[in-house]
Amino acid sequence: MPFREGELVFLEDSSGKRVWLNISFEMMKVKSLGAIDGSRFKELEEGDKFTIAGHEYTVFRPGVLDLMSSLDRGTQIITPKDAATILMHCDVKAGSKVIEVGAGSGAFTTALLSAVAPTGQVLTLEFKEENAQRALRNVSRVGLDKYWSYQIGDARDMQADADWMADALTMDMPDPWLALSNLEKHLRSGGRLCAYVPNMNQAESIVNALREHGYANVYALENLQRGLEVHSGGVRPSFEMLGHTGYLIFARKTR
């Protein structure tokens, strides 16, 4: 499929280094590359190779994983391994309505918006305007902001939009059990909840609170991810791995 003017893409060289740009079909300045003739993109499609100043690049459209790894960060993000698990266990799909507590840098917001588009919506409740503005910049890069809204306040006692009834509620905050009574009225019966916390005592507190509130299918898990070193002489597990990032607690609301 031909590229569109204004579309966000990245150029990748043989070492894996990436240069991000929004396509213009005129002369444009690109950070680290200088001025290039954008009209060349009219003849290119995704996966094509071309040369700039003697260096060969391949042009790609970004996927969700690429967007999450390249955004402007201000806080620790929910990693792709955890984000994918949350999306699957919370059954987030096109048309879903999701309330997210904690925008952070907008990495998980990006994953949510990509999943619910083009007919769903995400409402983010964020404590700091600074975080919300950073998330807005990040989700706007590829036009996902049209499916997003946010409110500033403390999730433990703020008044979320009364018209919002969500299919899923995700909570990235240190004490989600304190916000449960305030927010669960915005989660439909049968809706799914996920709390993301870094410590075991926090996981225990939210699990106990969910059980006390009558939620079903309450369970907790942790994702550990290890790569493989693949060489012509053999294959072995990597000595490094993406270990503990957070505990994921899931549940479904009952009547």
Side-chain angles (χ1 to χ4, degrees):
M1 182 172 67
F3 291 112
R4 303 182 306 274
E5 192 159 23
E7 185 174 3
L8 178 68
V9 300
F10 64 86
L11 310 179
E12 186 172 275
D13 67 14
S14 58
S15 69
K17 182 179 178 181
R18 295 178 175 183
V19 178
W20 290 79
L21 57 93
N22 289 95
I23 290 176
S24 169
F25 292 148
E26 301 177 351
M27 291 297 296
M28 58 181 177
K29 289 185 178 180
V30 179
K31 186 177 181 181
S32 79
L33 295 182
I36 66 173
D37 182 4
S39 66
R40 298 174 65 185
F41 286 98
K42 292 181 179 180
E43 304 171 358
L44 297 174
E45 294 194 11
E46 185 174 18
D48 282 349
K49 292 180 170 60
F50 68 111
T51 302
I52 301 176
H55 297 280
E56 187 176 70
Y57 295 89
T58 307
V59 58
F60 292 108
R61 290 184 172 92
V64 177
L65 181 64
D66 302 307
L67 294 172
M68 291 179 67
S69 63
S70 66
L71 49 69
D72 171 25
R73 297 191 186 186
T75 61
Q76 183 66 36
I77 68 167
I78 292 180
T79 60
K81 71 179 176 72
D82 292 327
T85 300
I86 297 171
L87 294 177
M88 181 63 69
H89 284 257
C90 287
D91 195 34
V92 179
K93 54 186 181 295
S96 294
K97 296 188 67 175
V98 182
I99 294 178
E100 173 196 34
V101 178
S105 297
F108 184 56
T109 312
T110 298
L112 285 172
L113 291 168
S114 296
V116 305
T119 53
Q121 290 286 325
V122 175
L123 169 64
T124 299
L125 309 180
E126 170 55 47
F127 190 69
K128 297 181 178 179
E129 179 69 37
E130 176 186 0
N131 289 345
Q133 288 300 314
R134 181 181 292 108
L136 177 60
R137 291 194 298 273
N138 284 321
V139 302
S140 296
R141 292 191 301 166
V142 286
L144 291 172
D145 54 305
K146 69 183 74 170
Y147 314 116
W148 187 56
S149 59
Y150 72 88
Q151 294 179 236
I152 299 299
D154 188 333
R156 294 173 294 185
D157 56 20
M158 69 182 294
Q159 296 301 310
D161 187 337
D163 294 332
W164 260 83
M165 185 59 64
D167 301 297
L169 168 63
T170 67
M171 309 168 78
D172 180 10
M173 59 185 295
D175 47 9
W177 56 93
L178 296 181
L180 190 58
S181 293
N182 183 43
L183 296 181
E184 63 183 357
K185 59 180 174 288
H186 295 288
L187 180 64
R188 67 170 176 80
S189 180
R192 302 168 194 265
L193 178 148
C194 174
Y196 181 85
V197 294
N199 300 314
M200 281 191 173
N201 60 320
Q202 295 167 306
E204 179 184 24
S205 294
I206 183 59
V207 165
N208 289 336
L210 288 165
R211 288 171 176 165
E212 291 170 2
H213 283 242
Y215 281 73
N217 306 138
V218 180
Y219 59 100
L221 60 84
E222 177 185 24
N223 281 327
L224 305 177
Q225 188 176 82
R226 181 169 66 173
L228 293 178
E229 297 291 339
V230 181
H231 306 286
S232 58
V235 180
R236 63 165 176 81
S238 173
F239 292 132
E240 297 181 356
M241 66 180 294
L242 183 55
H244 173 73
T245 47
Y247 298 108
L248 306 174
I249 295 85
F250 297 99
R252 294 195 73 173
K253 185 180 178 183
T254 60
R255 288 190 184 275

